Amino acid sequence: VYRKATIVGGGLSGALFAIYLARRGCEVDVYDARGDIRHEPPDPIRSVNLTIAARGLDGLRRVGLDQQAIDKLCTVLRYRVIHDSDGPVRRMSYGVQDHEVLYSVSRTHLTQFLLDVAAAEPGVRLHFHHRLVDLDKTTATATFFDGTGAIKVVRADVVVGADGAGSAVRRHMQSGLCADFSREYVPYRYKPLSIDAGNGDDAGLDPHGLHLWPRGDFMLFALPNQDYTLNGVCVLPAHGPNSFDSLRTPEAVESFFGEHFADAMPYMPRLVDEFLGRPASGFSTIRTSTWHYRDKVVLIGDACHGVIPFYGQGMNAAFEDCVVLDQCLAAHWRDWQKAFAEYERRRRVNTDTLAELSLANFTELRDSVRRPSLAARSKMSLAAYRALGDRAAPLYSLVSHSTTPYSECVRIARHRQRVARMLGADLAVACLVGAESVKRRLKPGRDRRS
Amino acid sequence: VYRKATIVGGGLSGALFAIYLARRGCEVDVYDARGDIRHEPPDPIRSVNLTIAARGLDGLRRVGLDQQAIDKLCTVLRYRVIHDSDGPVRRMSYGVQDHEVLYSVSRTHLTQFLLDVAAAEPGVRLHFHHRLVDLDKTTATATFFDGTGAIKVVRADVVVGADGAGSAVRRHMQSGLCADFSREYVPYRYKPLSIDAGNGDDAGLDPHGLHLWPRGDFMLFALPNQDYTLNGVCVLPAHGPNSFDSLRTPEAVESFFGEHFADAMPYMPRLVDEFLGRPASGFSTIRTSTWHYRDKVVLIGDACHGVIPFYGQGMNAAFEDCVVLDQCLAAHWRDWQKAFAEYERRRRVNTDTLAELSLANFTELRDSVRRPSLAARSKMSLAAYRALGDRAAPLYSLVSHSTTPYSECVRIARHRQRVARMLGADLAVACLVGAESVKRRLKPGRDRRS
């Protein structure tokens, strides 16, 4: 069966899924409301950096992105670098095995790369400056305004909504379907700020770490680029004295950063202009109960499950959508309604779990300054992991370095926590770690299981 | 200051608010996506009946709808008529004072009436078959598809979103505003069913009651028309054996109604066709945190606060929006941003309260069969009201027969409940009601207060 698909949204997930569909023999038209990011001047406000973890890599490798391409596009991240307001800089490793690293990548560069791959695919056509203004879900007919203000009506066999958190496809599709929907913001706002980390020769900011300045109710974090710059993000409360609304003069900004982010300031020569000149944005969680309409319309990525970015999993989850949806299509090639239903059944429980994990991790990131026990526990669990191997992989490692479904990760982590408590472990493990005694003590359990 | 307004949505609240704005000297263009309901064949599926209570009457009377017009359009409702599955039919009065009645009205007829009044107003123009496809909130510029498929771009000073639960104005306005939004459905579905109550001479269904057949997990209710017909609504669980999905044959429908709604069946000659032929719809609650954008865009009615219909207050709350927004405009005529902010501040807390009241009342309506104590308590509180006067008006009377803000109604009711408990009353009141002793017993409290 050969199908014609309309993909609304030519961002990361839209471009990736276009490649998947084309490789299954579909004719794919991708429509994006904006211009072609490959030929537009860079937009510093939209071009935040993202972290690619195991799920994202898996999704990319399936379309042929090899290690060489990854190294060309990305900066490897081996640890979190924590800049406390007092005391020395701390490092928290992202894993113990060689492959357990994250990759920092510019959203713009990765999107450009995927659009290039998609454009080279036979069967894929890219259309820019096309904004969806109508969708007849019963006939998969989409209506766009093109760049000239004219109307284009496109009928296909299926419409894929990859148009992000404010998805117009979602709104049209869910009309009349009794679909629960919510979009909730956390009471914080952010602005991107650029950081120049030196040239690699001096004692600048480590280019292989995700830098974090946790300050309780606000924070700064930064992801490195390949050219010794970093993309910083300043997160402040939505309201109150330390909010973007309150810090409105160069003096206020400099005094605030001088007090709280003194060691970052030397690397932020454009701080005041960027802080005062850029718009503040919010972080929201999107949950919705209905991801598809028959075999005609289906949603992927932020259009059906936006998460706040503090587990670094938003794009990874969107790419995993593409993988799972592709698998479901392969399994039910003659019945796309069944494929979409199976996809929704497999994914929704997991993205709902990711939403909770991301909210919880935000609290942890901000509070890691106030509660050093969190860092200690994290170190401890990594040490146990090193000593005990895969069966002690902590939740963070499962989420970031495996493709185990999110809800399964949580189930496994909870089970381990129970076992650890039963063995009187948890804190004890920290002392015993590395000692063969731990392995021996746990062995009988392992034997019984196998 | 004289302003040009675009109202999106020519339903009840859009038509009413057009009249308000016109009478304040504005030039008003109303755009509705559908055809002119005054000249279209009646749509039995969309034409449910509504109840007008004090808030709705207040909104209508301010534009000159007098008692004569009300009597011409509406059927007076004096009580709930409860058809239990066993036992005699019960009546529960809506109030004790003469004016404490509700009015049953066809949504279609009331909309037609308001459109006629609006059309006769100098400065109001009505446009049908115009669907909003774009909105630039910064310039109050709306783009519509007109009936011919052509594009019309309309710039005004302000855009009013009166386009209901699926509001396109809301979506465009909230884009980028960090607005929390949720739409949640209760796990029930409904279909409208018509009922022919006889000709008034026989022992048919009382034409001055809201008829209710509560059956625990499902129910039938009906609002009378002036011609001895009633608009019935059948509410079933969204899933399971007694759902619309399960009851799919004429035999199944007849057997289900025969078992549970036997006394209504004789009045439902088209039951099977309507039950099987009409689409099922859902009931949802809409909450959102952002009702306006500067002085450019503002939302009213379901666009910003949809409630499930089981307190009979949805339209009443929408009309109250019009009254309050009109008051705020009058108070801040030179600063509409201030007016909109004040309107949102005054209304949102109250419509959020109404959402909770409506959800709670749904449970009460369905359960009144299982828990006769609810009916007893209701009777009791009406009796206390009769005996004690206004200061004992129960919550239902405050909500339905006053224009006291919803959250204030709840505060008053809670306070009274506490006082009643302090006096050892609650149940005791039932015995004492009507006796002067109650009045005397409560007098010292009144004296202290005054």
Side-chain angles (χ1 to χ4, degrees):
Chain A
V1 183
Y2 163 87
R3 279 187 179 79
K4 185 169 154 32
T6 298
I7 296 184
V8 182
L12 292 166
S13 52
L16 182 65
F17 197 61
I19 306 168
Y20 278 74
L21 277 183
R23 296 202 178 168
R24 292 211 175 271
C26 293
E27 191 185 319
V28 186
D29 286 274
V30 181
Y31 296 87
D32 197 274
R34 295 202 176 80
D36 189 340
I37 199 171
R38 296 170 300 172
H39 311 304
E40 305 255 308
D43 178 351
I45 289 164
R46 292 188 45 80
S47 175
V48 293
N49 278 14
L50 304 167
T51 54
I52 312 183
R55 292 160 213 274
L57 287 177
D58 180 52
L60 293 169
R61 284 190 174 129
R62 283 166 193 262
V63 294
L65 186 76
D66 55 15
Q67 191 61 43
Q68 200 182 344
I70 291 166
D71 292 339
K72 207 175 143 200
L73 268 173
C74 309
T75 307
V76 67
L77 288 177
R78 301 198 178 278
Y79 29 71
R80 232 180 246 170
V81 182
I82 300 175
H83 303 253
D84 293 320
S85 41
D86 46 14
V89 167
R90 292 180 284 140
R91 279 185 187 166
M92 285 172 63
S93 179
Y94 276 129
V96 295
Q97 301 182 41
D98 274 353
H99 72 273
E100 293 182 344
V101 294
L102 305 179
Y103 293 92
S104 168
V105 68
S106 136
R107 173 190 288 269
T108 304
H109 294 162
L110 186 57
T111 308
Q112 289 169 338
F113 174 86
L114 288 173
L115 287 175
D116 277 338
V117 177
E121 203 65 37
V124 174
R125 281 182 304 255
L126 306 177
H127 312 263
F128 298 96
H129 298 295
H130 276 70
R131 200 157 51 75
L132 185 83
V133 293
D134 198 12
L135 172 66
D136 180 346
K137 63 171 173 273
T138 61
T139 60
T141 303
T143 305
F144 299 93
F145 276 175
D146 75 6
T148 68
I151 294 172
K152 188 187 280 183
V153 179
V154 181
R155 180 159 179 169
D157 298 307
V158 63
V159 173
V160 179
D163 51 346
S167 176
V169 172
R170 178 185 64 224
R171 189 176 74 94
H172 287 288
M173 183 194 85
Q174 291 187 339
S175 167
L177 292 192
C178 299
D180 287 337
F181 174 80
S182 73
R183 180 169 195 172
E184 288 173 294
Y185 284 80
V186 292
Y188 293 84
R189 301 290 180 261
Y190 74 92
K191 290 189 182 187
L193 300 175
S194 52
I195 296 178
D196 192 332
N199 59 12
D201 294 333
D202 63 10
L205 297 171
D206 185 331
H208 291 295
L210 181 153
H211 291 263
L212 181 66
W213 290 261
R215 297 292 182 268
D217 211 29
F218 48 88
M219 63 190 265
L220 181 67
F221 68 89
L223 280 96
N225 299 309
Q226 292 178 317
D227 61 356
Y228 294 101
T229 63
L230 292 92
N231 281 23
V233 175
C234 179
V235 181
L236 302 182
H239 310 287
N242 293 328
S243 67
F244 292 108
D245 284 347
S246 303
L247 300 167
R248 305 189 84 150
T249 64
E251 296 72 36
V253 175
E254 285 186 340
S255 141
F256 178 74
F257 270 72
E259 183 180 348
H260 298 291
F261 304 114
D263 69 330
M265 263 184 98
Y267 305 107
M268 304 175 79
R270 293 177 299 286
L271 168 64
V272 169
D273 285 350
E274 290 177 352
F275 190 98
L276 295 176
R278 292 179 171 179
S281 308
F283 304 111
S284 67
T285 301
I286 287 174
R287 299 179 183 85
T288 187
S289 66
T290 307
W291 289 21
H292 76 103
Y293 175 73
R294 300 195 176 160
D295 61 349
K296 295 289 186 244
V297 187
V298 67
L299 306 175
I300 61 175
D302 282 1
C304 46
H305 56 76
V307 298
I308 65 172
F310 297 101
Y311 220 115
Q313 284 286 315
M315 175 188 62
N316 290 283
F319 285 0
E320 199 170 46
D321 286 351
C322 297
V323 173
V324 173
L325 180 50
D326 185 59
Q327 288 169 347
C328 293
L329 289 176
H332 306 287
W333 189 249
R334 289 175 182 285
D335 186 349
W336 283 33
Q337 175 161 359
K338 208 166 170 183
F340 293 170
E342 173 74 6
Y343 154 73
E344 180 175 335
R345 193 193 59 72
R346 278 178 61 184
R347 288 302 287 163
R348 187 147 64 88
V349 56
N350 287 302
T351 54
D352 282 352
T353 299
L354 177 61
E356 302 314 313
L357 288 174
S358 301
L359 287 163
N361 222 42
F362 182 37
T363 311
E364 183 172 327
L365 279 184
R366 281 182 295 118
D367 277 4
S368 52
V369 58
R370 287 185 187 148
R371 297 164 59 197
S373 67
L374 286 174
R377 201 192 301 158
S378 167
K379 231 178 210 160
M380 197 177 76
S381 58
L382 274 185
Y385 179 24
R386 201 172 284 121
L388 305 173
D390 268 0
R391 50 204 296 275
L395 180 58
Y396 187 87
S397 298
L398 287 168
V399 168
S400 297
H401 306 312
S402 86
T403 55
T404 306
Y406 295 117
S407 51
E408 180 70 6
C409 296
V410 170
R411 204 192 57 74
I412 292 170
R414 283 201 184 127
H415 176 72
R416 281 190 190 140
Q417 212 171 22
R418 272 199 303 275
V419 170
R421 282 216 194 94
M422 264 166 47
L423 295 172
D426 224 2
L427 264 172
V429 164
C431 316
L432 297 171
V433 145
E436 278 304 298
S437 63
V438 178
K439 282 195 189 175
R440 255 176 276 128
R441 194 172 169 189
L442 285 169
K443 268 238 167 92
R446 182 188 267 169
D447 292 344
R448 268 201 301 279
R449 255 196 3 198
S450 57
Chain B
V1 182
Y2 161 89
R3 279 186 179 80
K4 183 169 155 31
T6 297
I7 296 184
V8 182
L12 293 166
S13 51
L16 182 64
F17 197 62
I19 305 166
Y20 278 74
L21 277 183
R23 295 201 178 169
R24 291 213 174 270
C26 293
E27 191 184 321
V28 186
D29 285 274
V30 180
Y31 295 88
D32 197 274
R34 295 203 176 77
D36 189 341
I37 200 171
R38 295 170 300 173
H39 311 305
E40 305 255 308
D43 177 351
I45 290 165
R46 291 188 46 83
S47 175
V48 294
N49 279 14
L50 303 167
T51 53
I52 311 181
R55 292 161 213 273
L57 286 176
D58 180 51
L60 292 168
R61 283 187 176 131
R62 282 166 195 262
V63 294
L65 185 76
D66 57 13
Q67 192 61 42
Q68 200 181 346
I70 291 167
D71 292 340
K72 209 175 143 199
L73 269 172
C74 309
T75 308
V76 68
L77 289 177
R78 301 197 176 279
Y79 29 71
R80 230 180 246 171
V81 182
I82 300 173
H83 304 254
D84 293 319
S85 42
D86 46 13
V89 167
R90 292 181 285 140
R91 281 186 185 163
M92 284 171 63
S93 179
Y94 277 126
V96 295
Q97 301 181 40
D98 273 351
H99 72 273
E100 294 181 342
V101 294
L102 305 179
Y103 293 92
S104 168
V105 69
S106 138
R107 172 189 287 269
T108 304
H109 294 162
L110 186 57
T111 308
Q112 290 169 337
F113 174 85
L114 288 173
L115 286 175
D116 277 338
V117 178
E121 203 65 36
V124 174
R125 281 181 303 255
L126 306 177
H127 312 264
F128 298 95
H129 298 295
H130 276 70
R131 199 158 51 76
L132 185 82
V133 292
D134 199 12
L135 173 65
D136 179 347
K137 63 172 173 274
T138 61
T139 59
T141 303
T143 305
F144 299 93
F145 277 176
D146 75 4
T148 68
I151 294 173
K152 187 187 280 184
V153 179
V154 182
R155 181 159 180 170
D157 297 306
V158 64
V159 173
V160 179
D163 50 346
S167 175
V169 173
R170 178 184 64 226
R171 189 175 75 91
H172 287 288
M173 183 194 84
Q174 292 187 339
S175 169
L177 293 191
C178 299
D180 287 336
F181 174 80
S182 73
R183 181 169 194 173
E184 288 173 296
Y185 283 80
V186 292
Y188 292 85
R189 301 290 179 262
Y190 75 92
K191 290 187 182 187
L193 300 174
S194 53
I195 296 177
D196 192 333
N199 58 12
D201 293 334
D202 64 10
L205 296 171
D206 186 330
H208 292 296
L210 180 154
H211 292 262
L212 180 66
W213 290 260
R215 295 295 181 267
D217 211 29
F218 48 89
M219 63 189 267
L220 181 69
F221 68 90
L223 280 94
N225 299 310
Q226 291 179 317
D227 62 357
Y228 295 102
T229 64
L230 293 91
N231 282 21
V233 175
C234 179
V235 181
L236 302 183
H239 309 288
N242 293 328
S243 67
F244 291 109
D245 284 345
S246 303
L247 301 166
R248 305 188 83 149
T249 63
E251 297 72 36
V253 175
E254 285 187 338
S255 143
F256 176 75
F257 270 74
E259 184 180 345
H260 298 291
F261 304 115
D263 69 329
M265 265 184 96
Y267 305 107
M268 303 175 82
R270 294 176 300 286
L271 168 64
V272 169
D273 286 349
E274 290 176 353
F275 190 97
L276 296 176
R278 292 180 171 178
S281 308
F283 304 111
S284 67
T285 302
I286 287 174
R287 299 178 183 87
T288 189
S289 65
T290 308
W291 289 22
H292 76 103
Y293 174 75
R294 299 193 176 163
D295 60 349
K296 294 291 186 241
V297 187
V298 67
L299 306 176
I300 60 175
D302 283 0
C304 46
H305 56 76
V307 298
I308 65 172
F310 298 101
Y311 220 115
Q313 283 287 316
M315 173 187 63
N316 290 283
F319 285 0
E320 200 170 45
D321 285 351
C322 298
V323 172
V324 173
L325 180 50
D326 185 59
Q327 288 169 347
C328 294
L329 289 176
H332 307 286
W333 188 247
R334 290 176 181 282
D335 185 349
W336 282 33
Q337 175 162 357
K338 205 164 172 184
F340 293 170
E342 171 76 4
Y343 154 73
E344 181 175 335
R345 193 193 60 72
R346 278 179 61 183
R347 286 303 285 162
R348 188 146 65 88
V349 56
N350 287 303
T351 55
D352 282 352
T353 300
L354 176 62
E356 302 312 313
L357 289 175
S358 300
L359 286 164
N361 222 42
F362 182 36
T363 311
E364 182 171 329
L365 279 182
R366 282 183 295 117
D367 276 5
S368 53
V369 58
R370 289 186 186 145
R371 297 166 56 197
S373 66
L374 286 175
R377 200 193 304 157
S378 167
K379 230 177 209 160
M380 200 177 75
S381 57
L382 275 184
Y385 179 23
R386 200 173 284 121
L388 305 173
D390 269 359
R391 50 203 295 273
L395 179 58
Y396 186 88
S397 298
L398 287 168
V399 168
S400 299
H401 306 313
S402 86
T403 55
T404 306
Y406 293 118
S407 51
E408 179 71 6
C409 295
V410 169
R411 204 193 57 72
I412 292 170
R414 283 201 184 125
H415 175 72
R416 280 188 191 143
Q417 213 171 19
R418 272 199 303 276
V419 170
R421 281 215 195 94
M422 265 165 46
L423 295 172
D426 223 2
L427 265 172
V429 165
C431 317
L432 297 170
V433 144
E436 279 302 301
S437 62
V438 178
K439 283 194 188 175
R440 256 174 278 130
R441 197 173 165 187
L442 287 169
K443 270 238 167 93
R446 180 189 268 167
D447 292 345
R448 267 200 301 277
R449 260 204 349 207
S450 58

